[in-house]
Amino acid sequence: MSRTLVTGGAGFLCSSLCDRLLQDGHDLLCVDNFYTGSKRNIAHLIGNPYFELMRHDVTFPLYVEVDRLFNPACPASPVHYQNDPVQTTKTSVHGAINMLGLAKRRGARIPQASTSEVYGDPEIHPQEESYWGRVNPIGVRSCHDEGKRCAETLCFDYHRQHALDIKVVRIFNPYGPRMQPNDGRVVSNFIVQALRGEDITIYGDGSQTRSFCYVDDLIEAMVRTMETGPEFTGPANIGNPSQFTIRELAEKVVSLVGGRSRLLFQSLPSDDPRQRQPDIALAREALGGWQPTVPLDDGLRHTIAYFRELLHA
Ligand code: NAD
Ligand code: UDP
Ligand code: UDP
């Protein structure tokens, strides 16, 4: 039985990863400081003899005996990562150093969750891994973008210097059940607003694009990543290449929820990327033909049903 550590395991994405790894027979340690995560996301796992929960902040050293570790601990929503930007950089950088140190001591395999934000506001479209990005080093998003870029650097230096079995995956705009109602990302904001009959807050004119990936598709990619051999280091984009404008997303949500919400246009936050779309050819090849299977409309229906129940709306 593989002893596996998941950092940030009480968060939106990684609580589902915990479910999947337990189903697949892992002996699991979930570490979280509950900054954006929620005990509700993992409450159903308490009592499972193969699930252990530890409140811990990855910016501090951690000495545990595991064979594999996923390191996605980091707030992902711009609202939350900008709330305490110094802590965000510490989480990405000190967190990566500690987890890489742990992996080095244990000889453990370490997939690192990176992000599409390493491309910043990209000039090439769709984004391939060979593109180095266009990131503002001193802007309000830099704590997350540069923090994750530095974490990637650390992964590749531990790989070159200490032969660590690293795997870097760049996640593109995931959504789905277990997002927090106050998460602040666009999909949860729009759904919560529509369910409450409030106006839908579009930042800018809504012509900026994103490519949204349903949580189940990403978890499948993360699990397959863990099973690749040491020759696969990434970085690899994982996401859904179907691209939508934010206005199209708003209109879809309003029509699926069926309320009377109107579109309310507000100012665009600084450094907001104009377009984002993953090229997933590399992941498709390395991960045994993996590709997303859940279209946006279906994923939105599942996510709306989740929030409807959560909010009793
Ligand atoms: P989330 O905020 O729901 O989950 C992050 C988890 O990490 C939370 O449970 C939080 O409490 C925990 N955490 C934060 N700081 C910590 C620390 N110092 N020590 C221990 N735990 C800590 O976000 P998510 O959507 O589940 O994101 C997971 C990962 O995926 C992140 O690494 C994120 O950067 C990446 N991601 C990228 C994008 C993108 O498109 N740009 C989008 C989503 C996620
Ligand atoms: N570390 C950790 N758990 C371990 C091993 C190391 O948290 O099981 C931390 C340790 O605090 C160290 C960091 O990981 O600061 C980097 O470890 P590494 O061995 O690369 O560096 P060194 O200890 O030589 O500074
Ligand atoms: N956005 C929006 N309304 C909201 C929240 C976000 O129009 O209530 C926009 C945001 O400006 C960005 C896009 O939606 O252009 C995606 O934002 P999100 O915070 O989900 O993630 P990002 O991809 O920017 O990290």
Side-chain angles (χ1 to χ4, degrees), residues 227-241:
E227 299 310 324
T228 56
E231 71 290 346
F232 177 71
T233 58
N237 295 332
I238 54 175
N240 190 327

Side-chain angles (χ1 to χ4, degrees), residues 6 10 100 107 126 138 147 168 189 198 209-210 216 221 236 279:
V6 174
L100 287 159
I138 56 166
V168 173
N189 270 13
E198 296 167 359
T209 70
R210 294 293 185 273
D216 291 2
D279 181 317

Side-chain angles (χ1 to χ4, degrees), residues 209-230:
T209 70
R210 294 293 185 273
S211 305
F212 301 101
C213 190
Y214 191 63
V215 53
D216 291 2
D217 285 329
L218 274 178
I219 299 302
E220 181 62 32
M222 289 167 87
V223 168
R224 289 189 189 203
T225 299
M226 179 62 102
E227 299 310 324
T228 56

Side-chain angles (χ1 to χ4, degrees), residues 24-296:
D24 290 354
H26 291 247
D27 185 351
L28 200 62
L29 171 61
C30 166
V31 160
D32 206 294
N33 70 350
F34 298 107
Y35 180 58
T36 50
S38 158
K39 288 184 182 162
R40 186 180 54 233
N41 286 343
I42 42 162
H44 60 289
L45 301 177
I46 306 293
N48 181 327
Y50 298 107
F51 178 76
E52 202 179 342
L53 175 62
M54 183 190 282
R55 180 190 284 268
H56 175 80
D57 184 324
V58 296
T59 62
F60 296 100
L62 176 67
Y63 287 81
V64 290
E65 307 312 307
V66 292
D67 314 308
R68 296 169 167 212
L69 65 107
F70 276 100
N71 184 33
C74 186
S77 159
V79 175
H80 292 294
Y81 71 63
Q82 289 171 27
N83 185 43
D84 187 349
V86 173
Q87 172 68 10
T88 300
T89 301
K90 284 184 187 170
T91 294
S92 284
V93 178
H94 291 183
I97 291 172
N98 288 328
M99 293 307 107
L100 287 159
L102 168 53
K104 179 182 134 198
R105 179 177 63 77
R106 289 289 310 156
R109 184 174 288 181
I110 177 168
Q112 165 75 20
S114 191
T115 166
S116 52
E117 299 232 39
V118 300
Y119 299 117
D121 190 7
E123 304 112 315
I124 72 140
H125 203 66
Q127 291 82 55
E128 291 173 8
E129 292 83 353
S130 56
Y131 175 55
W132 291 351
R134 183 165 71 121
V135 174
N136 175 356
I138 56 166
V140 292
R141 294 178 81 105
S142 310
C143 57
H144 189 250
D145 303 9
E146 296 287 21
K148 289 284 190 179
R149 285 170 70 96
C150 184
E152 288 199 8
T153 306
L154 284 161
C155 286
F156 278 85
D157 282 334
Y158 270 82
H159 173 67
R160 284 184 286 258
Q161 203 172 327
H162 301 296
L164 234 65
D165 186 2
I166 59 145
K167 288 145 198 328
V168 173
V169 285
R170 296 177 176 160
I171 297 170
F172 280 66
N173 290 81
Y175 71 99
R178 299 198 187 157
M179 296 184 94
Q180 305 282 353
N182 68 347
D183 180 277
R185 278 176 273 183
V186 68
V187 174
S188 46
N189 270 13
F190 285 2
I191 291 177
V192 169
Q193 288 162 346
L195 287 171
R196 289 179 172 154
E198 296 167 359
D199 290 342
I200 306 290
T201 53
I202 295 187
Y203 304 157
D205 63 6
S207 63
Q208 70 271 38
T209 70
R210 294 293 185 273
S211 305
F212 301 101
C213 190
Y214 191 63
V215 53
D216 291 2
D217 285 329
L218 274 178
I219 299 302
E220 181 62 32
M222 289 167 87
V223 168
R224 289 189 189 203
T225 299
M226 179 62 102
E227 299 310 324
T228 56
E231 71 290 346
F232 177 71
T233 58
N237 295 332
I238 54 175
N240 190 327
S242 305
Q243 185 185 207
F244 297 88
T245 67
I246 295 305
R247 188 183 176 122
E248 282 171 335
L249 175 74
E251 284 162 354
K252 266 185 193 299
V253 169
V254 172
S255 114
L256 289 168
V257 170
R260 261 176 283 159
S261 299
R262 289 167 313 167
L263 305 187
L264 179 70
F265 292 86
Q266 300 185 334
S267 57
L268 190 68
S270 62
D271 294 337
D272 201 284
R274 289 290 316 153
Q275 52 182 7
R276 191 183 279 162
Q277 183 184 32
D279 181 317
I280 58 165
L282 207 157
R284 196 184 279 127
E285 194 189 328
L287 306 181
W290 168 83
Q291 59 182 10
T293 58
V294 183
L296 184 59

